[in-house]
Amino acid sequence: EARQNLALHSALPGTEEPLWKTLEVSYFARHDAADIAWHARSLWRHVDVREPVVRARPSSVGDGLQVLVYSPDRADLFARICGYFDSAGFSILDAKIHTTRAGFALDTFQVVATQGIAPDAPGGYRDFISLVETQATQALTSDGPLPEPRSGRVSRRVKSFPVTPRVSLAPDERAQRWLLTVTASDRTGLLYAIARVMARNQVNLQLAKITTLGERVEDTFLVDG
């Protein structure tokens, strides 16, 4: 199905091969065909690059943007991505985190601007997408200290019905890595705060499942280090 999608976008035969041969089965299980094809179109010329590649497009599942980040993996990469979204005023609704066999991070985020974006404004999403791609790339090439998180706003509903934070850390089924599970009330900058803790303790993130259920977040991370 992804190959059919590539053909519909006039991609050359074999466009998918450079990227696909670096990916595990878990990648294909967690993305739909349209996203798999988008990744292949975006990255087929950049599979071995040493600089981050950032691509964004209007989300196909609601408001906001879908943002693809592909970069040589490093210990604080996830924290820097979350730090950029936090400082730029985005809320992360979903994140799919993968590490390729070649040691590259291939991460996809669903984000919404806390102030909202008007797609019918002059230039529509085009200028806004270009800005996000440029600023995110600059943030990921920085070696400076991680920015401080913004003060997290808590909604009235969360104040009335708070979720007691719960954190568990347990070996995965092969006892080679660890499953870190976090349940808490949602607030601005929460994912970035978690990412900063992992970066500070040199924890490597292999996979992540970010779930936002109204005012409640349930996040699972596969980590080592």
Side-chain angles (χ1 to χ4, degrees):
E1 189 178 345
R3 286 193 173 102
Q4 291 173 352
N5 188 296
L6 285 165
L8 290 174
H9 285 85
S10 302
L12 295 172
T15 293
E16 72 280 1
E17 292 303 327
L19 179 65
W20 286 10
K21 68 183 182 183
T22 71
L23 297 169
E24 305 284 354
V25 173
S26 59
Y27 164 84
F28 296 96
R30 296 188 66 208
H31 290 278
D32 63 28
D35 288 349
I36 292 169
W38 177 48
H39 294 169
R41 292 199 314 274
S42 301
L43 300 175
W44 71 285
R45 292 181 176 178
H46 307 289
V47 171
D48 297 318
V49 297
R50 306 317 300 176
E51 298 295 325
V53 176
V54 180
R55 297 289 182 265
R57 65 178 184 176
S59 175
S60 60
V61 294
D63 294 334
L65 297 177
Q66 191 175 31
V67 182
L68 165 65
V69 177
Y70 182 79
S71 173
D73 202 10
R74 55 191 263 195
D76 64 353
L77 180 66
F78 183 64
R80 290 198 179 277
I81 297 171
C82 294
Y84 163 70
F85 287 135
D86 182 66
S87 63
F90 285 99
S91 177
I92 300 172
L93 301 182
D94 181 65
K96 293 184 174 70
I97 309 299
H98 291 276
T99 304
T100 74
R101 294 192 188 109
F104 284 78
L106 197 170
D107 304 342
T108 310
F109 297 85
Q110 299 281 352
V111 301
V112 293
T114 53
Q115 300 301 318
I117 309 167
D120 54 352
Y125 271 111
R126 194 181 316 148
D127 293 343
F128 187 75
I129 284 173
S130 178
L131 181 67
V132 168
E133 291 177 345
T134 300
Q135 290 182 341
T137 301
Q138 291 172 346
L140 296 181
T141 54
S142 170
D143 287 321
L146 291 168
E148 290 296 320
R150 295 185 302 152
S151 56
R153 296 192 305 276
V154 177
S155 72
R156 185 179 304 171
R157 183 173 177 81
V158 166
K159 290 179 180 178
S160 302
F161 303 98
V163 177
T164 302
R166 298 182 184 277
V167 180
S168 67
L169 187 64
D172 71 351
E173 57 187 18
R174 297 182 180 177
Q176 296 176 336
R177 297 170 181 168
W178 296 82
L179 282 173
L180 172 65
T181 304
V182 179
T183 303
S185 297
D186 194 17
R187 65 170 172 81
T188 301
L190 175 63
L191 187 59
Y192 179 41
I194 296 170
R196 278 169 57 93
V197 173
M198 290 195 285
R200 193 161 59 237
N201 290 279
Q202 298 181 320
V203 173
N204 302 313
L205 178 61
Q206 299 293 332
L207 291 170
K209 180 182 179 184
I210 309 302
T211 306
T212 304
L213 305 168
E215 308 297 336
R216 174 192 181 98
V217 296
E218 296 180 357
D219 300 342
T220 303
F221 310 92
L222 183 65
V223 301
D224 61 18

